[in-house]
Amino acid sequence: VEGIDEKELEAILKDVITANPKAIEDYKNGKTNVVMFLVGQAMAKLKGKAKADEVKNEIVKLLNCYGSISPLLSKEGCHPKGDGVVGVC
């Protein structure tokens, strides 16, 4: 993602996801349109530092990787190898 450090992006996306548990529950129940709501929330925080389609891809990776909110709150998160790549399970 251009214009922003990957760790900063991941932190912002985690904040957006954890702040919207209803959207996450809806996503898990098949309502994939909530991704665009989360993208909007993230774009507001990013202030033009990233492209919406790239943010969407990263959000979907995080949602599919974690499956719930609680791992987002841990430092281990979704990086079992500790490689720092967003969304790698």
Side-chain angles (χ1 to χ4, degrees):
V1 178
E2 295 178 22
I4 188 169
D5 176 82
E6 283 191 36
K7 289 184 181 187
E8 182 183 357
L9 174 64
E10 183 176 9
I12 289 170
L13 296 183
K14 283 182 178 182
D15 286 346
V16 167
I17 290 170
T18 57
N20 294 285
K22 172 81 168 91
I24 306 317
E25 191 63 32
D26 288 348
Y27 180 80
K28 287 171 44 180
N29 290 326
K31 296 181 182 176
T32 57
N33 60 328
V34 299
V35 170
M36 294 314 294
F37 167 76
L38 296 171
V39 169
Q41 298 294 305
M43 294 304 290
K45 289 182 178 257
L46 290 166
K47 299 177 184 171
K49 294 182 183 177
K51 295 179 181 176
D53 59 334
E54 293 172 344
V55 170
K56 178 184 175 188
N57 291 339
E58 296 303 322
I59 288 174
V60 169
K61 285 179 189 177
L62 285 171
L63 292 173
N64 291 334
C65 184
Y66 289 108
S68 71
I69 293 174
S70 57
L72 286 167
L73 302 175
S74 76
K75 290 187 178 187
E76 293 297 314
C78 196
H79 310 292
K81 295 181 183 176
D83 59 9
V85 178
V86 175
V88 174
C89 296

